[in-house]
Amino acid sequence: MGTAHPDAAEGLTPVEAARSLVPLLAAEAARSEERRALTGTTVTGLRRAGLLRLGTPARCGGRGAGARTAVDVCEELAKGCASASWIVGIAYGGALFASQLPHPERAALWRDDPDAVVCGSANPSGTARRTDGGWTLSGRWPWISGIHHAPWALLGFVRPGAGGEPERAMAVVPTAGLTVEDVWRMAGMRGTGSDTAVADDVYVPDSRTISLAAMADGVYRRRHPGEPRIIFHLSINLPLVATAVGIATASLEQVLEAAARGRQTVSPLHRLVADDPAHQLNAADAATLVDTARLHLRRAADEVDAHARAGRRPALAERARLRMDAAHAMRCARDAMGLLLDTAGAGSFADGSVLQRAWRDIETASRHAALSVQTSKELYGRALLGAPLPPNPAI
């Protein structure tokens, strides 16, 4: 069994530990962006606070946290550094997937380090061939956030299922056996280091593979009956939405503080931003959008946790609604950011401006494919109207 990190924040809840890290993360954020990966100081801070093991099973020395805790932690962290928040969310989701392996395999991942990050891509981007009780993987898996800080990676692939039909699966492989291509040169979320992993005939035994269909059917949940593990894909996406909510929350606070300090407006009718009805309406709308995002996100996280504790998977219609909750929260956070920049003004777009980085980060993060508002609306609308939905385990 893994043991707690000796420097872990003693006596603090995960959310309190995250809040205590915000000043450090904010001080390192520009350097993380410049190097296109989290700084060593940032990673050390996250490790010492025990936030890289939120999803590691308690039996392996982790926190075994639920979705609500992960959401609240990532929202706090994003107030200091959006990329650090995103990586903690990725580590949480990766641990949820990997924790469904047989216990001897899980123990091997975390025996020496419960903070060991599992990153990855569920998209079946490479190829796999059957090899001696396992699979040999080759190909390229793009946009793997956190790969520079993770000893393990989940790589999606396709294999024959029980009935001979193709099924999606994931393999847990050591990142030391992969090549990392430096391709993450983006407008925002630069510190996530989401580079491309390349596998060249990397072997993985069956015992380190996960079937998405079996996961959806509860096979792995029954394997570890004492653990209230999350059992469907939305669980790993909710902390990523929390990153956007945290960005918008911190930006709202910054704009309101500037107004409280007497920031002037260029209006010919009013001298101060605080006295200008146009900015008053912007602030009210932005604050309401942030609250709306937070309410939808927390409701989804609480419901996911309730299902996990009960050991069940929600019905398809409910999963569609939960996915809509997440996508709507993400869009509300992004829309709030736009209103705040209207009030903050063109100076917010200067190089080195914290608001400029927040704008770039939320514009990039909110385009994550799994959180598309359009796709989520179609799924939810179909569910509401009784139209057929595909039996896709990723929904």
Side-chain angles (χ1 to χ4, degrees), residues 182-255:
D182 182 1
V183 297
W184 187 246
R185 300 176 184 275
M186 307 293 281
M189 301 300 292
R190 294 177 181 171
T192 62
S194 305
D195 286 319
T196 294
V198 181
D200 184 10
D201 287 344
V202 173
Y203 173 77
V204 58
D206 285 327
S207 58
R208 285 192 178 173
T209 64
I210 301 162
S211 160
L212 298 193
M215 181 183 73
D217 290 341
V219 171
Y220 305 127
R221 182 174 70 254
R222 293 189 289 274
R223 175 183 283 167
H224 305 294
E227 297 178 9
R229 307 309 289 163
I230 291 41
I231 50 176
F232 59 108
H233 278 66
L234 178 69
S235 314
I236 71 169
N237 294 329
L238 292 176
L240 307 183
V241 180
T243 296
V245 175
I247 294 170
T249 300
S251 299
L252 174 63
E253 293 171 356
Q254 183 176 346
V255 170

Side-chain angles (χ1 to χ4, degrees), residues 1-4 53 55-65 99 101-108 110-111 114 223-229:
M1 178 189 295
T3 57
R53 55 180 136 96
T56 305
R59 190 177 175 189
C60 298
R63 292 188 183 272
S99 66
L101 295 172
H103 186 66
E105 295 288 4
R106 303 191 312 174
W110 290 300
R111 180 181 295 114
R223 175 183 283 167
H224 305 294
E227 297 178 9
R229 307 309 289 163

Side-chain angles (χ1 to χ4, degrees), residues 18 21 24-25 38-53 73 77 83-85 87-88 115:
L21 276 182
L24 181 147
L25 299 183
L38 299 184
T39 66
T41 299
T42 294
V43 174
T44 297
L46 295 173
R47 286 177 62 89
R48 288 179 173 172
L51 301 181
L52 295 180
R53 55 180 136 96
V73 163
L77 294 176
S83 291
S85 169
I87 295 306
V88 168
D115 297 293

Side-chain angles (χ1 to χ4, degrees), residues 117-189:
V117 173
V118 181
C119 63
S121 172
N123 290 329
S125 301
T127 62
R129 70 175 188 274
R130 189 69 177 153
T131 313
D132 299 331
W135 300 88
T136 297
L137 306 182
S138 295
R140 301 171 74 256
W141 283 261
W143 317 132
I144 299 187
S145 299
I147 194 166
H148 297 284
H149 315 293
W152 302 98
L154 289 152
L155 302 181
F157 69 104
V158 175
R159 67 185 181 189
E165 295 295 320
E167 73 163 12
R168 291 179 58 185
M170 291 183 294
V172 180
V173 304
T175 54
L178 304 173
T179 301
V180 178
E181 290 185 355
D182 182 1
V183 297
W184 187 246
R185 300 176 184 275
M186 307 293 281
M189 301 300 292

